[in-house]
Amino acid sequence: MIVAAVLAAAVLHASWNAVVKGVSDRAGLFVRTSVVGAAACAAALWFVPWPAGGSWPWLLASVAVHVLYNLGLLAAYRLGRSTRRTRWPAASARSWWRWSPCWRSASPSLRRGRPAWC
């Protein structure tokens, strides 16, 4: 069950990135998906108990964090490259050691190649 959930999350994440990459109006896409999500949540409120009074500040904080996250994601899509050649340095098998203490402690001349002590 856990493996299925992780694979489903990976497929959904890749699908979302493919859709966002192929759309010219990304802000409009984000607004539409947010409206659909809000409508689904509003519809679900008919089938679950109303949230307790003490949970409302947490719910509002969650909404604020989600909005800020989406705005940051829109800015990242706008400013960043979105090609197949783009990759995170930490994900590269050859550059894993650059994030280690060995990289930070190596002299600049040794940083060209992998230090022998790492």
Side-chain angles (χ1 to χ4, degrees), residues 97-98 103 106-115:
W97 65 274
R98 291 183 182 174
W103 171 256
S107 67
S109 62
L110 290 175
R111 287 185 185 179
R112 282 186 235 124
R114 183 176 170 182

Side-chain angles (χ1 to χ4, degrees), residues 6 25 43 48-49 95:
V6 170
D25 181 23
V48 296
S95 66

Side-chain angles (χ1 to χ4, degrees), residues 87-113:
R87 70 173 185 205
W88 292 100
S92 172
R94 294 185 323 232
S95 66
W96 67 267
W97 65 274
R98 291 183 182 174
W99 299 94
S100 71
C102 294
W103 171 256
R104 287 182 234 120
S105 64
S107 67
S109 62
L110 290 175
R111 287 185 185 179
R112 282 186 235 124

Side-chain angles (χ1 to χ4, degrees), residues 16 20 25-43 62-74:
W16 171 255
V20 170
D25 181 23
R26 291 181 179 140
L29 176 69
F30 274 67
V31 168
R32 287 189 299 273
T33 57
S34 296
V35 167
V36 169
C41 288
S62 175
V63 168
V65 167
H66 191 73
V67 168
L68 290 174
Y69 167 76
N70 279 328
L71 291 174
L73 192 58
L74 273 172

